[in-house]
PDB file of all heavy atoms in Angstrom:
ATOM      1  N   PRO A  29      18.653  11.160 -18.617  1.00  0.00           N
ATOM      2  CA  PRO A  29      19.960  11.779 -18.822  1.00  0.00           C
ATOM      3  C   PRO A  29      21.003  11.294 -17.863  1.00  0.00           C
ATOM      4  O   PRO A  29      22.180  11.179 -18.204  1.00  0.00           O
ATOM      5  CB  PRO A  29      19.676  13.307 -18.566  1.00  0.00           C
ATOM      6  CG  PRO A  29      18.175  13.424 -18.775  1.00  0.00           C
ATOM      7  CD  PRO A  29      17.571  12.139 -18.392  1.00  0.00           C
ATOM      8  N   ASP A  30      20.571  11.043 -16.617  1.00  0.00           N
ATOM      9  CA  ASP A  30      21.555  10.618 -15.623  1.00  0.00           C
ATOM     10  C   ASP A  30      20.841   9.630 -14.666  1.00  0.00           C
ATOM     11  O   ASP A  30      19.615   9.579 -14.570  1.00  0.00           O
ATOM     12  CB  ASP A  30      22.051  11.814 -14.805  1.00  0.00           C
ATOM     13  CG  ASP A  30      22.669  12.854 -15.585  1.00  0.00           C
ATOM     14  OD1 ASP A  30      23.807  12.709 -16.011  1.00  0.00           O
ATOM     15  OD2 ASP A  30      21.953  13.855 -15.821  1.00  0.00           O
ATOM     16  N   TYR A  31      21.658   8.789 -14.025  1.00  0.00           N
ATOM     17  CA  TYR A  31      21.088   7.909 -12.984  1.00  0.00           C
ATOM     18  C   TYR A  31      22.188   7.561 -11.917  1.00  0.00           C
ATOM     19  O   TYR A  31      23.310   7.546 -12.315  1.00  0.00           O
ATOM     20  CB  TYR A  31      20.428   6.634 -13.537  1.00  0.00           C
ATOM     21  CG  TYR A  31      21.411   5.635 -14.228  1.00  0.00           C
ATOM     22  CD1 TYR A  31      22.181   4.758 -13.457  1.00  0.00           C
ATOM     23  CD2 TYR A  31      21.517   5.611 -15.589  1.00  0.00           C
ATOM     24  CE1 TYR A  31      23.030   3.851 -14.060  1.00  0.00           C
ATOM     25  CE2 TYR A  31      22.347   4.707 -16.207  1.00  0.00           C
ATOM     26  CZ  TYR A  31      23.091   3.814 -15.426  1.00  0.00           C
ATOM     27  OH  TYR A  31      23.955   2.904 -16.078  1.00  0.00           O
ATOM     28  N   LEU A  32      21.758   7.264 -10.730  1.00  0.00           N
ATOM     29  CA  LEU A  32      22.586   6.773  -9.704  1.00  0.00           C
ATOM     30  C   LEU A  32      22.317   5.260  -9.560  1.00  0.00           C
ATOM     31  O   LEU A  32      21.167   4.928  -9.357  1.00  0.00           O
ATOM     32  CB  LEU A  32      22.353   7.506  -8.376  1.00  0.00           C
ATOM     33  CG  LEU A  32      22.933   8.850  -8.194  1.00  0.00           C
ATOM     34  CD1 LEU A  32      22.597   9.417  -6.767  1.00  0.00           C
ATOM     35  CD2 LEU A  32      24.425   8.841  -8.340  1.00  0.00           C
ATOM     36  N   CYS A  33      23.335   4.460  -9.552  1.00  0.00           N
ATOM     37  CA  CYS A  33      23.182   3.069  -9.409  1.00  0.00           C
ATOM     38  C   CYS A  33      23.496   2.734  -7.931  1.00  0.00           C
ATOM     39  O   CYS A  33      24.690   2.830  -7.522  1.00  0.00           O
ATOM     40  CB  CYS A  33      24.104   2.247 -10.370  1.00  0.00           C
ATOM     41  SG  CYS A  33      24.000   0.488  -9.972  1.00  0.00           S
ATOM     42  N   MET A  34      22.553   2.335  -7.151  1.00  0.00           N
ATOM     43  CA  MET A  34      22.744   2.005  -5.778  1.00  0.00           C
ATOM     44  C   MET A  34      23.120   0.559  -5.566  1.00  0.00           C
ATOM     45  O   MET A  34      22.980  -0.226  -6.548  1.00  0.00           O
ATOM     46  CB  MET A  34      21.498   2.408  -4.943  1.00  0.00           C
ATOM     47  CG  MET A  34      20.972   3.753  -5.121  1.00  0.00           C
ATOM     48  SD  MET A  34      22.233   5.018  -4.892  1.00  0.00           S
ATOM     49  CE  MET A  34      22.738   4.773  -3.221  1.00  0.00           C
ATOM     50  N   ASP A  35      23.571   0.240  -4.386  1.00  0.00           N
ATOM     51  CA  ASP A  35      23.979  -1.145  -4.079  1.00  0.00           C
ATOM     52  C   ASP A  35      23.859  -1.431  -2.651  1.00  0.00           C
ATOM     53  O   ASP A  35      24.629  -0.931  -1.776  1.00  0.00           O
ATOM     54  CB  ASP A  35      25.449  -1.238  -4.581  1.00  0.00           C
ATOM     55  CG  ASP A  35      26.161  -2.528  -3.995  1.00  0.00           C
ATOM     56  OD1 ASP A  35      25.639  -3.641  -4.227  1.00  0.00           O
ATOM     57  OD2 ASP A  35      27.232  -2.365  -3.347  1.00  0.00           O
ATOM     58  N   GLY A  36      22.850  -2.171  -2.272  1.00  0.00           N
ATOM     59  CA  GLY A  36      22.665  -2.597  -0.888  1.00  0.00           C
ATOM     60  C   GLY A  36      22.159  -4.028  -0.886  1.00  0.00           C
ATOM     61  O   GLY A  36      21.755  -4.576  -1.869  1.00  0.00           O
ATOM     62  N   THR A  37      22.225  -4.695   0.249  1.00  0.00           N
ATOM     63  CA  THR A  37      21.847  -6.120   0.344  1.00  0.00           C
ATOM     64  C   THR A  37      20.895  -6.286   1.569  1.00  0.00           C
ATOM     65  O   THR A  37      21.138  -5.689   2.597  1.00  0.00           O
ATOM     66  CB  THR A  37      23.079  -7.025   0.529  1.00  0.00           C
ATOM     67  OG1 THR A  37      23.931  -6.775  -0.568  1.00  0.00           O
ATOM     68  CG2 THR A  37      22.659  -8.462   0.559  1.00  0.00           C
ATOM     69  N   ILE A  38      19.853  -7.092   1.325  1.00  0.00           N
ATOM     70  CA  ILE A  38      18.874  -7.270   2.353  1.00  0.00           C
ATOM     71  C   ILE A  38      18.589  -8.807   2.498  1.00  0.00           C
ATOM     72  O   ILE A  38      18.861  -9.568   1.583  1.00  0.00           O
ATOM     73  CB  ILE A  38      17.500  -6.539   1.999  1.00  0.00           C
ATOM     74  CG1 ILE A  38      16.964  -7.104   0.665  1.00  0.00           C
ATOM     75  CG2 ILE A  38      17.723  -5.091   1.975  1.00  0.00           C
ATOM     76  CD1 ILE A  38      15.654  -6.585   0.327  1.00  0.00           C
ATOM     77  N   PRO A  39      17.969  -9.186   3.628  1.00  0.00           N
ATOM     78  CA  PRO A  39      17.492 -10.578   3.681  1.00  0.00           C
ATOM     79  C   PRO A  39      16.399 -10.804   2.646  1.00  0.00           C
ATOM     80  O   PRO A  39      15.591  -9.927   2.404  1.00  0.00           O
ATOM     81  CB  PRO A  39      16.951 -10.640   5.134  1.00  0.00           C
ATOM     82  CG  PRO A  39      17.525  -9.551   5.861  1.00  0.00           C
ATOM     83  CD  PRO A  39      17.772  -8.454   4.879  1.00  0.00           C
ATOM     84  N   ARG A  40      16.448 -11.961   2.004  1.00  0.00           N
ATOM     85  CA  ARG A  40      15.495 -12.129   0.888  1.00  0.00           C
ATOM     86  C   ARG A  40      14.003 -11.981   1.364  1.00  0.00           C
ATOM     87  O   ARG A  40      13.210 -11.514   0.656  1.00  0.00           O
ATOM     88  CB  ARG A  40      15.680 -13.642   0.379  1.00  0.00           C
ATOM     89  CG  ARG A  40      16.830 -13.771  -0.535  1.00  0.00           C
ATOM     90  CD  ARG A  40      16.960 -15.159  -1.050  1.00  0.00           C
ATOM     91  NE  ARG A  40      17.306 -16.147  -0.023  1.00  0.00           N
ATOM     92  CZ  ARG A  40      18.506 -16.576   0.284  1.00  0.00           C
ATOM     93  NH1 ARG A  40      19.494 -16.093  -0.431  1.00  0.00           N
ATOM     94  NH2 ARG A  40      18.711 -17.458   1.217  1.00  0.00           N
ATOM     95  N   ALA A  41      13.718 -12.386   2.580  1.00  0.00           N
ATOM     96  CA  ALA A  41      12.296 -12.275   3.063  1.00  0.00           C
ATOM     97  C   ALA A  41      11.846 -10.868   3.098  1.00  0.00           C
ATOM     98  O   ALA A  41      10.626 -10.573   3.145  1.00  0.00           O
ATOM     99  CB  ALA A  41      12.247 -12.969   4.469  1.00  0.00           C
ATOM    100  N   ALA A  42      12.784  -9.908   3.174  1.00  0.00           N
ATOM    101  CA  ALA A  42      12.400  -8.479   3.297  1.00  0.00           C
ATOM    102  C   ALA A  42      12.209  -7.816   1.926  1.00  0.00           C
ATOM    103  O   ALA A  42      11.819  -6.664   1.827  1.00  0.00           O
ATOM    104  CB  ALA A  42      13.487  -7.728   4.047  1.00  0.00           C
ATOM    105  N   LEU A  43      12.379  -8.585   0.815  1.00  0.00           N
ATOM    106  CA  LEU A  43      12.272  -8.016  -0.505  1.00  0.00           C
ATOM    107  C   LEU A  43      10.911  -7.364  -0.757  1.00  0.00           C
ATOM    108  O   LEU A  43      10.855  -6.208  -1.227  1.00  0.00           O
ATOM    109  CB  LEU A  43      12.588  -9.043  -1.599  1.00  0.00           C
ATOM    110  CG  LEU A  43      12.772  -8.623  -2.983  1.00  0.00           C
ATOM    111  CD1 LEU A  43      13.831  -7.468  -3.074  1.00  0.00           C
ATOM    112  CD2 LEU A  43      13.135  -9.786  -3.882  1.00  0.00           C
ATOM    113  N   PRO A  44       9.790  -8.009  -0.516  1.00  0.00           N
ATOM    114  CA  PRO A  44       8.524  -7.359  -0.772  1.00  0.00           C
ATOM    115  C   PRO A  44       8.327  -6.074  -0.053  1.00  0.00           C
ATOM    116  O   PRO A  44       7.860  -5.044  -0.613  1.00  0.00           O
ATOM    117  CB  PRO A  44       7.461  -8.396  -0.344  1.00  0.00           C
ATOM    118  CG  PRO A  44       8.207  -9.694  -0.501  1.00  0.00           C
ATOM    119  CD  PRO A  44       9.617  -9.407  -0.103  1.00  0.00           C
ATOM    120  N   LEU A  45       8.732  -5.974   1.264  1.00  0.00           N
ATOM    121  CA  LEU A  45       8.598  -4.792   2.059  1.00  0.00           C
ATOM    122  C   LEU A  45       9.465  -3.688   1.464  1.00  0.00           C
ATOM    123  O   LEU A  45       9.049  -2.520   1.345  1.00  0.00           O
ATOM    124  CB  LEU A  45       9.051  -5.112   3.498  1.00  0.00           C
ATOM    125  CG  LEU A  45       9.261  -3.894   4.420  1.00  0.00           C
ATOM    126  CD1 LEU A  45       7.948  -3.098   4.636  1.00  0.00           C
ATOM    127  CD2 LEU A  45       9.834  -4.324   5.776  1.00  0.00           C
ATOM    128  N   VAL A  46      10.742  -3.995   1.171  1.00  0.00           N
ATOM    129  CA  VAL A  46      11.644  -2.984   0.681  1.00  0.00           C
ATOM    130  C   VAL A  46      11.191  -2.444  -0.664  1.00  0.00           C
ATOM    131  O   VAL A  46      11.261  -1.218  -0.909  1.00  0.00           O
ATOM    132  CB  VAL A  46      13.144  -3.570   0.589  1.00  0.00           C
ATOM    133  CG1 VAL A  46      13.978  -2.650  -0.208  1.00  0.00           C
ATOM    134  CG2 VAL A  46      13.643  -3.902   1.920  1.00  0.00           C
ATOM    135  N   LEU A  47      10.652  -3.279  -1.527  1.00  0.00           N
ATOM    136  CA  LEU A  47      10.182  -2.759  -2.803  1.00  0.00           C
ATOM    137  C   LEU A  47       9.009  -1.820  -2.603  1.00  0.00           C
ATOM    138  O   LEU A  47       8.907  -0.771  -3.256  1.00  0.00           O
ATOM    139  CB  LEU A  47       9.694  -3.969  -3.711  1.00  0.00           C
ATOM    140  CG  LEU A  47      10.812  -4.821  -4.234  1.00  0.00           C
ATOM    141  CD1 LEU A  47      10.242  -6.137  -4.867  1.00  0.00           C
ATOM    142  CD2 LEU A  47      11.672  -4.068  -5.258  1.00  0.00           C
ATOM    143  N   ALA A  48       8.098  -2.207  -1.641  1.00  0.00           N
ATOM    144  CA  ALA A  48       6.956  -1.260  -1.416  1.00  0.00           C
ATOM    145  C   ALA A  48       7.438   0.069  -0.850  1.00  0.00           C
ATOM    146  O   ALA A  48       6.935   1.152  -1.248  1.00  0.00           O
ATOM    147  CB  ALA A  48       5.985  -1.966  -0.439  1.00  0.00           C
ATOM    148  N   ARG A  49       8.429   0.029   0.088  1.00  0.00           N
ATOM    149  CA  ARG A  49       8.948   1.309   0.652  1.00  0.00           C
ATOM    150  C   ARG A  49       9.630   2.103  -0.422  1.00  0.00           C
ATOM    151  O   ARG A  49       9.576   3.337  -0.375  1.00  0.00           O
ATOM    152  CB  ARG A  49       9.926   0.894   1.782  1.00  0.00           C
ATOM    153  CG  ARG A  49       9.210   0.307   3.021  1.00  0.00           C
ATOM    154  CD  ARG A  49       8.659   1.338   3.983  1.00  0.00           C
ATOM    155  NE  ARG A  49       9.768   2.187   4.498  1.00  0.00           N
ATOM    156  CZ  ARG A  49      10.455   1.859   5.606  1.00  0.00           C
ATOM    157  NH1 ARG A  49      10.122   0.707   6.271  1.00  0.00           N
ATOM    158  NH2 ARG A  49      11.378   2.638   6.083  1.00  0.00           N
ATOM    159  N   MET A  50      10.319   1.468  -1.344  1.00  0.00           N
ATOM    160  CA  MET A  50      11.024   2.251  -2.350  1.00  0.00           C
ATOM    161  C   MET A  50      10.033   2.958  -3.288  1.00  0.00           C
ATOM    162  O   MET A  50      10.290   4.055  -3.758  1.00  0.00           O
ATOM    163  CB  MET A  50      11.995   1.343  -3.179  1.00  0.00           C
ATOM    164  CG  MET A  50      13.278   1.114  -2.502  1.00  0.00           C
ATOM    165  SD  MET A  50      14.570   0.507  -3.658  1.00  0.00           S
ATOM    166  CE  MET A  50      14.056  -1.163  -3.930  1.00  0.00           C
ATOM    167  N   ARG A  51       8.877   2.327  -3.519  1.00  0.00           N
ATOM    168  CA  ARG A  51       7.854   2.980  -4.321  1.00  0.00           C
ATOM    169  C   ARG A  51       7.372   4.253  -3.619  1.00  0.00           C
ATOM    170  O   ARG A  51       7.138   5.332  -4.252  1.00  0.00           O
ATOM    171  CB  ARG A  51       6.726   2.094  -4.657  1.00  0.00           C
ATOM    172  CG  ARG A  51       6.937   1.140  -5.846  1.00  0.00           C
ATOM    173  CD  ARG A  51       5.613   0.595  -6.395  1.00  0.00           C
ATOM    174  NE  ARG A  51       4.968  -0.196  -5.360  1.00  0.00           N
ATOM    175  CZ  ARG A  51       5.180  -1.508  -5.108  1.00  0.00           C
ATOM    176  NH1 ARG A  51       6.099  -2.163  -5.862  1.00  0.00           N
ATOM    177  NH2 ARG A  51       4.516  -2.137  -4.243  1.00  0.00           N
ATOM    178  N   GLN A  52       7.192   4.160  -2.347  1.00  0.00           N
ATOM    179  CA  GLN A  52       6.752   5.329  -1.528  1.00  0.00           C
ATOM    180  C   GLN A  52       7.833   6.434  -1.573  1.00  0.00           C
ATOM    181  O   GLN A  52       7.521   7.575  -1.743  1.00  0.00           O
ATOM    182  CB  GLN A  52       6.517   4.899  -0.094  1.00  0.00           C
ATOM    183  CG  GLN A  52       5.338   3.948   0.145  1.00  0.00           C
ATOM    184  CD  GLN A  52       5.250   3.403   1.513  1.00  0.00           C
ATOM    185  OE1 GLN A  52       6.045   3.798   2.334  1.00  0.00           O
ATOM    186  NE2 GLN A  52       4.343   2.549   1.745  1.00  0.00           N
ATOM    187  N   MET A  53       9.103   5.983  -1.458  1.00  0.00           N
ATOM    188  CA  MET A  53      10.199   7.007  -1.567  1.00  0.00           C
ATOM    189  C   MET A  53      10.228   7.673  -2.907  1.00  0.00           C
ATOM    190  O   MET A  53      10.492   8.868  -3.024  1.00  0.00           O
ATOM    191  CB  MET A  53      11.530   6.363  -1.260  1.00  0.00           C
ATOM    192  CG  MET A  53      11.748   5.829   0.100  1.00  0.00           C
ATOM    193  SD  MET A  53      13.396   5.070   0.227  1.00  0.00           S
ATOM    194  CE  MET A  53      13.190   4.285   1.860  1.00  0.00           C
TER     195      MET A  53
END
């Protein structure tokens, strides 16, 4: 029904870590 579209930027090397942390969140 609704969604929030976020927008942030990270170093490419941090992508796997950030994806894993987002799943935990």
Side-chain angles (χ1 to χ4, degrees):
D30 304 282
Y31 66 81
L32 282 181
C33 176
M34 307 309 298
D35 165 54
T37 302
I38 61 172
R40 284 183 291 265
L43 190 54
L45 168 64
V46 169
L47 289 171
R49 290 275 295 274
M50 278 200 285
R51 276 199 300 273
Q52 295 172 0
M53 293 179 192

